[in-house]
Amino acid sequence: MQKRPLKLPKKMNKNLYIGIDTSNYTTSLALCDGEGTVLANLKAPLPVKEGERGLRQSDAVFAHVKNLPPLMAELKLILHDPEGGKADVRGIGFSATPRRSADSYMPCFLAGKVAAASMQAVKEVPMCEFSHQEGHVMAALYSAGVADELTRREFVAFHVSGGTTDVLYVRPDGGRFDIEMIGTSLDLHAGQAVDRVGVALGLKFPCGRELEALAASNTQRIPKPRTCVKGLDCHLSGLENLALSLYERTGDRALVAAYTLDFIGQTLCEISAEVRRRYPDIPMVYAGGVMSNRRIQSMLAARFSGTHFSEPAFSADNAAGIALLCRRVLQHKA
């Protein structure tokens, strides 16, 4: 569990907003103030057995139920800090679905909904429902320092994680986002490819951080990725086979790690070029756990201006974006 990050300063704006996110691999609670500053970003990973590549939904729900009480206790310590006084919670936000669409559903988000409803019944404050994807986009804007600018204009967001490789046209919408998916992976998602290759190389799931470190140690020439991009859509299923074939031929774990990340980076570069062709000069924001990878970030930043990336704590699953969205929606209604 992430340690308690701070105390509430005595003179701080203490009108606070709570965010809850229960994704498939992380239980997250967050807190922001009325000025839009994130005060706490608490997380507890869900346990995955060695050698496995994920969790069943029933196991994920159970893990969230176990993680939530200690995280709530940590949040209570922050809210009732004796040096900062008792805070005034104005709203509670939670992620209810993966995406903001009628057919988007995962049982793991029920744990967060129940926690939010229980807290709301005690606090008697408004409760706001969002999608996990909206939270990722908002967290990326905040971390990249462009929240004020890009919550007032249209932009394109890439949500690249274990469950999505989506290209999103985003419009501000009354404190929320109106999100239109304009591109996606038609088979495997980028995070799935990272984890499948990583587990095959003997890395611990989720494999992103270890795969990045392994790739940084590579000294061999990396084969040119044979990507498959069609407009704003892509195919990534071939990456797993190509990477494992390279491993069989060479036995070089560092080379395979570098090849895997460069394949994903090149795919995103090709899609980003098509975005710029269709929407010249539009800002592009990269969100989701895969986008915490510095190697991929550097490939994109070298080719495109007007690109924005978040820090790892706000790229990977977190509830900070949900707390910030809750603040925006409730302040917009006021």
Side-chain angles (χ1 to χ4, degrees):
M1 185 189 303
Q2 182 176 322
K3 294 182 178 179
R4 184 182 181 189
L6 46 77
K7 298 178 179 179
L8 297 180
K10 293 181 180 179
K11 296 183 180 181
M12 178 176 288
N13 175 345
K14 294 175 186 174
N15 295 331
L16 303 179
Y17 301 85
I18 294 171
I20 304 173
D21 184 82
T22 51
S23 70
N24 210 37
Y25 298 111
T26 308
T27 312
S28 306
L29 298 180
L31 190 70
C32 76
D33 67 13
E35 302 300 322
T37 299
V38 175
L39 306 175
N41 191 15
L42 306 174
K43 306 179 189 181
L46 306 191
V48 178
K49 293 180 181 179
E50 186 174 351
E52 294 189 359
R53 303 189 300 191
L55 285 173
R56 293 179 298 180
Q57 280 293 295
S58 58
D59 293 333
V61 172
F62 180 65
H64 283 307
V65 171
K66 292 179 66 177
N67 282 348
L68 278 166
L71 282 177
M72 289 290 187
E74 188 74 5
L75 185 64
K76 181 179 178 181
L77 287 175
I78 298 170
L79 288 171
H80 298 273
D81 194 306
E83 294 184 22
K86 189 174 180 179
D88 183 11
V89 175
R90 293 299 183 93
I92 302 166
F94 68 96
S95 53
T97 58
R99 296 181 177 93
R100 191 178 170 187
S101 61
D103 61 348
S104 183
Y105 171 75
M106 286 180 71
C108 60
F109 291 108
L110 289 173
K113 182 175 184 178
V114 170
S118 300
M119 188 182 298
Q120 190 264 349
V122 175
K123 294 288 185 182
E124 297 183 338
V125 295
M127 184 171 69
C128 301
E129 179 178 313
F130 304 97
S131 71
H132 177 71
Q133 188 167 73
E134 288 175 286
H136 264 299
V137 172
M138 187 66 222
L141 297 186
Y142 173 82
S143 179
V146 292
D148 288 341
E149 173 191 355
L150 296 190
T151 49
R152 293 185 175 93
R153 60 165 297 182
E154 298 175 356
F155 61 95
V156 168
F158 287 72
H159 182 198
V160 189
S161 67
T164 54
T165 305
D166 294 347
V167 188
L168 312 169
Y169 196 93
V170 186
R171 303 171 181 86
D173 180 21
R176 295 177 178 270
F177 296 123
D178 177 15
I179 295 178
E180 177 188 358
M181 187 169 70
I182 57 176
T184 190
S185 172
L186 299 175
D187 39 48
L188 200 65
H189 294 300
Q192 288 178 303
V194 166
D195 290 329
R196 291 185 181 188
V197 173
V199 169
L201 297 180
L203 306 182
K204 183 179 179 181
F205 182 96
C207 305
R209 186 176 299 178
E210 288 187 70
L211 196 75
E212 182 175 4
L214 191 60
S217 68
N218 176 59
T219 59
Q220 303 301 312
R221 179 179 175 274
I222 303 169
K224 183 178 179 180
R226 293 183 289 173
T227 58
C228 184
V229 174
K230 298 179 180 179
L232 298 177
D233 296 327
C234 66
H235 291 270
L236 290 170
S237 59
L239 168 55
E240 181 182 7
N241 295 330
L242 289 168
L244 296 183
S245 176
L246 180 63
Y247 187 42
E248 288 179 3
R249 295 197 310 272
T250 66
D252 191 328
R253 297 166 72 243
L255 174 62
V256 174
Y259 175 80
T260 300
L261 296 180
D262 283 6
F263 190 109
I264 294 170
Q266 180 58 32
T267 297
L268 294 176
C269 281
E270 292 176 25
I271 297 173
S272 297
E274 179 62 17
V275 168
R276 277 293 165 78
R277 187 188 71 80
R278 298 187 188 191
Y279 311 102
D281 301 320
I282 196 167
M284 295 190 292
V285 178
Y286 298 85
V290 173
M291 293 315 307
S292 64
N293 187 283
R294 300 297 189 190
R295 187 184 188 97
I296 295 174
Q297 286 186 15
S298 64
M299 293 176 67
L300 290 159
R303 287 188 55 178
F304 305 100
S305 60
T307 54
H308 304 285
F309 306 95
S310 60
E311 293 300 312
F314 295 94
S315 296
D317 288 348
N318 67 90
I322 299 298
L324 291 164
L325 284 170
C326 181
R327 165 191 169 265
R328 286 183 53 79
V329 166
L330 294 178
Q331 288 187 354
H332 182 81
K333 289 180 178 179

Short mmCIF file of all heavy atoms in Angstrom, two decimals, residues 206-236:
data_model
loop_
_atom_site.label_atom_id
_atom_site.label_comp_id
_atom_site.label_asym_id
_atom_site.label_seq_id
_atom_site.Cartn_x
_atom_site.Cartn_y
_atom_site.Cartn_z
N PRO A 206 2.02 -7.48 -12.97
CA PRO A 206 2.12 -6.88 -14.31
C PRO A 206 3.57 -6.54 -14.64
O PRO A 206 4.34 -6.15 -13.76
CB PRO A 206 1.24 -5.63 -14.20
CG PRO A 206 1.24 -5.28 -12.75
CD PRO A 206 1.35 -6.57 -12.00
N CYS A 207 3.91 -6.66 -15.90
CA CYS A 207 5.32 -6.72 -16.30
C CYS A 207 5.92 -5.40 -16.80
O CYS A 207 7.11 -5.37 -17.15
CB CYS A 207 5.50 -7.78 -17.39
SG CYS A 207 4.87 -9.41 -16.95
N GLY A 208 5.12 -4.36 -16.89
CA GLY A 208 5.58 -3.14 -17.54
C GLY A 208 6.88 -2.57 -17.01
O GLY A 208 7.80 -2.26 -17.77
N ARG A 209 6.98 -2.42 -15.71
CA ARG A 209 8.17 -1.79 -15.12
C ARG A 209 9.41 -2.63 -15.34
O ARG A 209 10.47 -2.12 -15.73
CB ARG A 209 7.95 -1.55 -13.63
CG ARG A 209 9.08 -0.77 -12.97
CD ARG A 209 8.76 -0.49 -11.51
NE ARG A 209 7.56 0.33 -11.37
CZ ARG A 209 7.04 0.70 -10.22
NH1 ARG A 209 7.60 0.33 -9.08
NH2 ARG A 209 5.96 1.47 -10.18
N GLU A 210 9.30 -3.94 -15.11
CA GLU A 210 10.46 -4.82 -15.30
C GLU A 210 10.85 -4.91 -16.76
O GLU A 210 12.05 -4.98 -17.09
CB GLU A 210 10.16 -6.21 -14.75
CG GLU A 210 10.11 -6.30 -13.24
CD GLU A 210 9.98 -7.74 -12.76
OE1 GLU A 210 10.96 -8.51 -12.92
OE2 GLU A 210 8.91 -8.10 -12.26
N LEU A 211 9.85 -4.93 -17.67
CA LEU A 211 10.16 -5.01 -19.09
C LEU A 211 10.89 -3.75 -19.55
O LEU A 211 11.83 -3.82 -20.36
CB LEU A 211 8.88 -5.21 -19.89
CG LEU A 211 9.07 -5.69 -21.34
CD1 LEU A 211 9.45 -7.17 -21.34
CD2 LEU A 211 7.81 -5.48 -22.17
N GLU A 212 10.50 -2.60 -19.04
CA GLU A 212 11.18 -1.35 -19.39
C GLU A 212 12.63 -1.36 -18.92
O GLU A 212 13.54 -0.95 -19.66
CB GLU A 212 10.44 -0.16 -18.79
CG GLU A 212 11.06 1.18 -19.15
CD GLU A 212 10.25 2.36 -18.64
OE1 GLU A 212 9.26 2.14 -17.93
OE2 GLU A 212 10.63 3.51 -18.94
N ALA A 213 12.87 -1.83 -17.69
CA ALA A 213 14.24 -1.90 -17.18
C ALA A 213 15.07 -2.87 -17.98
O ALA A 213 16.25 -2.62 -18.27
CB ALA A 213 14.21 -2.31 -15.71
N LEU A 214 14.48 -4.00 -18.37
CA LEU A 214 15.19 -5.00 -19.16
C LEU A 214 15.53 -4.44 -20.53
O LEU A 214 16.65 -4.62 -21.04
CB LEU A 214 14.32 -6.25 -19.29
CG LEU A 214 14.95 -7.51 -19.86
CD1 LEU A 214 16.14 -7.97 -19.01
CD2 LEU A 214 13.91 -8.63 -19.93
N ALA A 215 14.60 -3.72 -21.14
CA ALA A 215 14.83 -3.13 -22.47
C ALA A 215 15.98 -2.12 -22.43
O ALA A 215 16.75 -2.00 -23.38
CB ALA A 215 13.56 -2.47 -22.97
N ALA A 216 16.08 -1.40 -21.32
CA ALA A 216 17.14 -0.38 -21.20
C ALA A 216 18.53 -1.00 -21.19
O ALA A 216 19.52 -0.30 -21.49
CB ALA A 216 16.92 0.44 -19.93
N SER A 217 18.63 -2.28 -20.88
CA SER A 217 19.94 -2.95 -20.83
C SER A 217 20.33 -3.56 -22.17
O SER A 217 21.44 -4.11 -22.29
CB SER A 217 19.93 -4.04 -19.75
OG SER A 217 19.07 -5.12 -20.11
N ASN A 218 19.47 -3.46 -23.17
CA ASN A 218 19.77 -4.08 -24.47
C ASN A 218 20.92 -3.37 -25.18
O ASN A 218 20.98 -2.14 -25.20
CB ASN A 218 18.52 -4.03 -25.36
CG ASN A 218 18.82 -4.57 -26.75
OD1 ASN A 218 19.23 -5.72 -26.89
ND2 ASN A 218 18.63 -3.75 -27.77
N THR A 219 21.80 -4.15 -25.76
CA THR A 219 22.93 -3.60 -26.52
C THR A 219 22.93 -4.07 -27.98
O THR A 219 23.82 -3.69 -28.75
CB THR A 219 24.27 -4.01 -25.87
OG1 THR A 219 24.36 -5.44 -25.83
CG2 THR A 219 24.37 -3.43 -24.46
N GLN A 220 21.94 -4.89 -28.34
CA GLN A 220 21.91 -5.47 -29.68
C GLN A 220 21.04 -4.63 -30.63
O GLN A 220 20.20 -3.83 -30.18
CB GLN A 220 21.35 -6.90 -29.62
CG GLN A 220 22.13 -7.83 -28.71
CD GLN A 220 23.59 -7.95 -29.13
OE1 GLN A 220 23.89 -8.16 -30.31
NE2 GLN A 220 24.49 -7.81 -28.17
N ARG A 221 21.27 -4.81 -31.91
CA ARG A 221 20.45 -4.13 -32.91
C ARG A 221 19.04 -4.70 -32.87
O ARG A 221 18.84 -5.91 -32.90
CB ARG A 221 21.06 -4.34 -34.31
CG ARG A 221 20.27 -3.69 -35.43
CD ARG A 221 20.95 -3.92 -36.77
NE ARG A 221 20.13 -3.41 -37.87
CZ ARG A 221 19.17 -4.10 -38.47
NH1 ARG A 221 18.90 -5.35 -38.07
NH2 ARG A 221 18.48 -3.57 -39.47
N ILE A 222 18.06 -3.81 -32.81
CA ILE A 222 16.67 -4.22 -32.68
C ILE A 222 16.06 -4.37 -34.08
O ILE A 222 16.13 -3.45 -34.90
CB ILE A 222 15.87 -3.17 -31.88
CG1 ILE A 222 16.50 -2.96 -30.51
CG2 ILE A 222 14.40 -3.59 -31.74
CD1 ILE A 222 15.94 -1.77 -29.76
N PRO A 223 15.47 -5.54 -34.38
CA PRO A 223 14.82 -5.70 -35.68
C PRO A 223 13.72 -4.67 -35.90
O PRO A 223 13.04 -4.26 -34.95
CB PRO A 223 14.22 -7.12 -35.60
CG PRO A 223 15.01 -7.81 -34.54
CD PRO A 223 15.39 -6.75 -33.55
N LYS A 224 13.52 -4.26 -37.13
CA LYS A 224 12.49 -3.28 -37.45
C LYS A 224 11.12 -3.89 -37.20
O LYS A 224 10.80 -4.96 -37.72
CB LYS A 224 12.60 -2.82 -38.90
CG LYS A 224 11.60 -1.74 -39.28
CD LYS A 224 11.79 -1.30 -40.72
CE LYS A 224 10.75 -0.24 -41.08
NZ LYS A 224 10.91 0.23 -42.49
N PRO A 225 10.28 -3.23 -36.40
CA PRO A 225 8.95 -3.78 -36.12
C PRO A 225 8.09 -3.84 -37.38
O PRO A 225 8.07 -2.89 -38.18
CB PRO A 225 8.36 -2.79 -35.11
CG PRO A 225 9.53 -2.08 -34.52
CD PRO A 225 10.54 -2.01 -35.62
N ARG A 226 7.38 -4.92 -37.56
CA ARG A 226 6.45 -5.07 -38.69
C ARG A 226 5.05 -4.78 -38.17
O ARG A 226 4.28 -5.67 -37.87
CB ARG A 226 6.54 -6.47 -39.29
CG ARG A 226 7.89 -6.75 -39.97
CD ARG A 226 7.90 -8.11 -40.61
NE ARG A 226 7.95 -9.18 -39.60
CZ ARG A 226 7.83 -10.48 -39.88
NH1 ARG A 226 7.64 -10.87 -41.14
NH2 ARG A 226 7.89 -11.37 -38.92
N THR A 227 4.73 -3.49 -38.06
CA THR A 227 3.47 -3.07 -37.45
C THR A 227 2.31 -3.24 -38.43
O THR A 227 2.51 -3.37 -39.65
CB THR A 227 3.56 -1.61 -37.01
OG1 THR A 227 3.87 -0.80 -38.15
CG2 THR A 227 4.63 -1.43 -35.96
N CYS A 228 1.10 -3.19 -37.90
CA CYS A 228 -0.11 -3.29 -38.72
C CYS A 228 -1.10 -2.22 -38.26
O CYS A 228 -1.83 -2.41 -37.29
CB CYS A 228 -0.73 -4.69 -38.60
SG CYS A 228 -2.16 -4.93 -39.67
N VAL A 229 -1.07 -1.07 -38.95
CA VAL A 229 -1.93 0.06 -38.63
C VAL A 229 -2.80 0.37 -39.84
O VAL A 229 -2.29 0.48 -40.96
CB VAL A 229 -1.10 1.30 -38.25
CG1 VAL A 229 -2.01 2.53 -38.07
CG2 VAL A 229 -0.32 1.04 -36.97
N LYS A 230 -4.10 0.49 -39.60
CA LYS A 230 -5.05 0.83 -40.66
C LYS A 230 -5.86 2.03 -40.21
O LYS A 230 -6.78 1.89 -39.41
CB LYS A 230 -5.96 -0.37 -40.95
CG LYS A 230 -5.21 -1.60 -41.44
CD LYS A 230 -6.15 -2.78 -41.68
CE LYS A 230 -5.38 -3.99 -42.18
NZ LYS A 230 -6.27 -5.16 -42.39
N GLY A 231 -5.50 3.20 -40.72
CA GLY A 231 -6.16 4.42 -40.28
C GLY A 231 -5.83 4.69 -38.82
O GLY A 231 -4.66 4.84 -38.45
N LEU A 232 -6.85 4.72 -37.97
CA LEU A 232 -6.65 4.92 -36.54
C LEU A 232 -6.79 3.62 -35.75
O LEU A 232 -6.76 3.64 -34.53
CB LEU A 232 -7.64 5.97 -36.01
CG LEU A 232 -7.51 7.37 -36.61
CD1 LEU A 232 -8.59 8.29 -36.08
CD2 LEU A 232 -6.13 7.96 -36.33
N ASP A 233 -6.95 2.51 -36.46
CA ASP A 233 -7.02 1.19 -35.82
C ASP A 233 -5.70 0.45 -36.00
O ASP A 233 -4.89 0.78 -36.88
CB ASP A 233 -8.14 0.35 -36.45
CG ASP A 233 -9.51 0.94 -36.21
OD1 ASP A 233 -9.71 1.55 -35.14
OD2 ASP A 233 -10.39 0.77 -37.08
N CYS A 234 -5.48 -0.53 -35.15
CA CYS A 234 -4.25 -1.32 -35.26
C CYS A 234 -4.50 -2.76 -34.86
O CYS A 234 -5.54 -3.10 -34.27
CB CYS A 234 -3.15 -0.72 -34.37
SG CYS A 234 -3.51 -0.84 -32.59
N HIS A 235 -3.56 -3.62 -35.22
CA HIS A 235 -3.52 -5.01 -34.79
C HIS A 235 -2.24 -5.21 -33.99
O HIS A 235 -1.16 -4.82 -34.43
CB HIS A 235 -3.53 -5.97 -35.99
CG HIS A 235 -4.83 -5.99 -36.73
ND1 HIS A 235 -5.85 -6.85 -36.42
CD2 HIS A 235 -5.26 -5.24 -37.78
CE1 HIS A 235 -6.87 -6.64 -37.25
NE2 HIS A 235 -6.53 -5.68 -38.08
N LEU A 236 -2.36 -5.82 -32.81
CA LEU A 236 -1.19 -6.07 -31.97
C LEU A 236 -1.00 -7.55 -31.65
O LEU A 236 -0.04 -7.91 -30.97
CB LEU A 236 -1.30 -5.28 -30.66
CG LEU A 236 -1.15 -3.76 -30.78
CD1 LEU A 236 -1.51 -3.07 -29.47
CD2 LEU A 236 0.28 -3.40 -31.19
#
